[in-house]
Amino acid sequence: MRMGEDRSVAAESGTRARTRRAIVDAAVALLAGDPTASLGDVAAAAGVGRTTVHRYFPERSDLLAAIGADVLEKVAAATERARLDDGPAAKALERLCQEYFELGDGLTLMFETPQLTNWSGWDEETEADRRFLDTVRRGHAEGSIDRELDEEWVRNLVWALLYSAWEQARTTGTSKHSALALCLHTLRKALAP
Amino acid sequence: MRMGEDRSVAAESGTRARTRRAIVDAAVALLAGDPTASLGDVAAAAGVGRTTVHRYFPERSDLLAAIGADVLEKVAAATERARLDDGPAAKALERLCQEYFELGDGLTLMFETPQLTNWSGWDEETEADRRFLDTVRRGHAEGSIDRELDEEWVRNLVWALLYSAWEQARTTGTSKHSALALCLHTLRKALAP
DNA sequence: GCCGAGTGGAACACCACTGTTCCATAACGG
DNA sequence: CCGTTATGGAACAGTGGTGTTCCACTCGGC
């Protein structure tokens, strides 16, 4: 082995890694708009041949799994950036909400493509999910989050607000910035005891 | 004309009307869970032959249109029952929320099947939608609804909360009743100035 | 400039769903 | 009770996505 990585099977050449990313990114963007888009469509959107897509992801489910892993990774990174343990829990959730908002299409996808959440990485509790629920509990304890709202409800609420904000930006002319502001404003009021 | 209706083409015999309902109802329940379910699945769920489904709805899109009309009708009825003009606007929206909650599967369907909203009845503003937005404006005027939240955002918010509530009942063990309570509690706080 | 990795396209079999026709039979209603 | 009405199933062709193979190409890095 030279400088390259060799995680499980083999290191991926720079070219392969780039093509792979192009396909996954295009798939995320496309499937967010229409979860039933064909692999041919994905290939076209990625600017590669359909054959190439099949070379990287033998079956459709393989592509879905890759997307799932990708989103999961981004969620983990966003959670990291939000520094959930700093300051009041309510504020921490607002920061998290901002970070999640930036995920964009990946977000919509999780909402509209339950099949994504059907692969191995999702059934067991995610680290990010656990950190989220812990933070809500911390908020309950320190009194910065309404105790009437149980953890799962807060989680659902956050996702729903994020989805709404994107929907707002998409359908009405609202800018992403204002949509996020509405989202955070509403979250703050909802969480307050 | 005797007692029967003869709206556009012809009155439907009792038998036909019943079969039609069975198909539409089954389709709503099934498609809410999986928007890509086949017509064969719908037929099976409705307890009729696939041929019969095609007899009532020649093409898939015809069935979708019928479902769209059905949901639209139920939304209109729910809006009626909520008596939006009575009392404070914020309370009116809470009543509306309760009524919408009862729509159940029809609700999920509107979220997950944008194709439904692509038929004729949806593109132009619905009467129900107009009444909703009017009520929000009334709330702004009388001060019972936070003026920071524009009408569209409130609409998105209500739908998102309803979806969350059903999700809550579906995934966590929460009873429908408690889920609705959380939903209303959150809405009340979010709307308050 | 060369060689191999990486690619695109054509052609193929396959499958599931769709929409249609036809016929035998069951249910309904007067 | 009998004829009309409604139904279910089988069989069919058509369609579009899927997954596979093969071959000619081009591009990148040494």
Side-chain angles (χ1 to χ4, degrees):
Chain A
M1 64 180 87
R2 316 193 174 28
M3 42 172 58
E5 329 96 89
D6 66 334
R7 34 182 80 123
S8 49
V9 183
E12 256 187 349
S13 82
T15 313
R16 280 191 71 83
R18 246 176 295 125
T19 307
R20 189 187 184 81
R21 274 246 61 82
I23 295 174
V24 172
D25 288 346
V28 168
L30 197 61
L31 295 180
D34 172 19
T36 70
S38 77
L39 294 185
D41 294 338
V42 172
V48 304
R50 194 170 68 91
T51 313
T52 301
V53 172
H54 273 104
R55 213 180 325 260
Y56 284 80
F57 309 100
E59 301 196 0
R60 181 178 241 270
S61 61
D62 295 322
L63 177 56
L64 270 330
I67 293 177
D70 191 63
V71 173
L72 212 48
E73 195 176 310
K74 284 179 181 162
V75 166
T79 305
E80 197 59 39
R81 282 195 302 273
R83 310 183 325 279
L84 290 180
D85 295 331
D86 292 6
K91 293 293 173 196
L93 288 190
E94 286 178 40
R95 286 196 302 274
L96 186 63
C97 204
Q98 288 190 56
E99 293 293 343
Y100 278 1
F101 186 80
E102 305 298 333
L103 297 184
D105 284 335
L107 201 71
T108 313
L109 212 51
M110 293 182 48
F111 251 87
E112 297 179 347
T113 317
Q115 327 150 15
L116 267 195
T117 62
N118 278 143
W119 83 286
S120 54
W122 288 84
D123 45 12
E124 91 252 11
E125 277 235 315
T126 304
E127 169 69 13
D129 201 26
R130 204 165 3 206
R131 304 266 321 265
F132 183 98
L133 298 178
D134 283 347
T135 305
V136 176
R137 275 189 287 269
R138 180 163 72 86
H140 284 160
E142 74 190 22
S144 71
I145 294 177
D146 186 344
R147 288 191 180 80
E148 295 282 319
L149 315 172
D150 67 65
E151 308 103 61
E152 281 89 4
W153 174 251
V154 174
R155 168 159 39 86
N156 281 346
L157 177 63
V158 166
W159 287 108
L161 286 177
L162 284 168
Y163 183 85
S164 293
W166 274 98
E167 191 62 17
Q168 178 86 355
R170 201 174 302 127
T171 63
T172 79
T174 317
S175 72
K176 290 206 214 339
H177 180 266
S178 323
L180 177 57
L182 280 169
C183 176
L184 291 175
H185 178 189
T186 305
L187 179 64
R188 190 173 311 121
K189 286 172 59 183
L191 293 183
Chain B
M1 61 177 89
R2 320 189 175 23
M3 42 173 59
E5 329 97 89
D6 65 335
R7 33 182 78 121
S8 47
V9 184
E12 259 188 345
S13 83
T15 313
R16 279 191 71 85
R18 246 176 295 125
T19 307
R20 189 187 183 84
R21 274 246 61 82
I23 295 174
V24 172
D25 288 346
V28 168
L30 197 60
L31 295 181
D34 171 20
T36 70
S38 77
L39 294 184
D41 295 336
V42 172
V48 303
R50 193 170 67 91
T51 314
T52 301
V53 172
H54 273 101
R55 217 183 316 266
Y56 284 79
F57 308 99
E59 301 196 0
R60 182 177 242 268
S61 61
D62 295 323
L63 177 56
L64 270 330
I67 292 177
D70 192 62
V71 173
L72 211 50
E73 196 175 309
K74 284 178 180 161
V75 166
T79 305
E80 198 59 39
R81 282 196 301 274
R83 309 182 327 278
L84 289 180
D85 296 330
D86 292 4
K91 293 292 174 196
L93 288 191
E94 285 178 41
R95 285 197 303 274
L96 186 63
C97 204
Q98 289 191 55
E99 293 293 343
Y100 278 1
F101 186 79
E102 304 298 334
L103 297 184
D105 284 335
L107 200 71
T108 312
L109 212 51
M110 293 182 49
F111 249 86
E112 296 180 347
T113 316
Q115 329 150 14
L116 267 196
T117 61
N118 279 143
W119 82 288
S120 55
W122 288 85
D123 44 11
E124 90 253 12
E125 277 235 314
T126 303
E127 169 69 13
D129 200 26
R130 203 165 4 208
R131 304 267 319 267
F132 184 98
L133 298 177
D134 283 347
T135 304
V136 177
R137 275 188 288 270
R138 180 162 72 85
H140 285 160
E142 73 190 22
S144 71
I145 294 178
D146 186 343
R147 290 190 177 80
E148 295 281 319
L149 315 171
D150 68 64
E151 307 103 61
E152 281 88 5
W153 174 251
V154 174
R155 169 160 37 87
N156 281 346
L157 177 64
V158 166
W159 287 107
L161 287 177
L162 284 168
Y163 182 86
S164 293
W166 274 98
E167 191 62 18
Q168 178 86 355
R170 201 174 301 124
T171 64
T172 79
T174 317
S175 72
K176 290 205 214 340
H177 179 266
S178 322
L180 177 56
L182 280 168
C183 177
L184 291 175
H185 178 180
T186 305
L187 178 64
R188 189 174 311 120
K189 286 171 59 183
L191 293 183

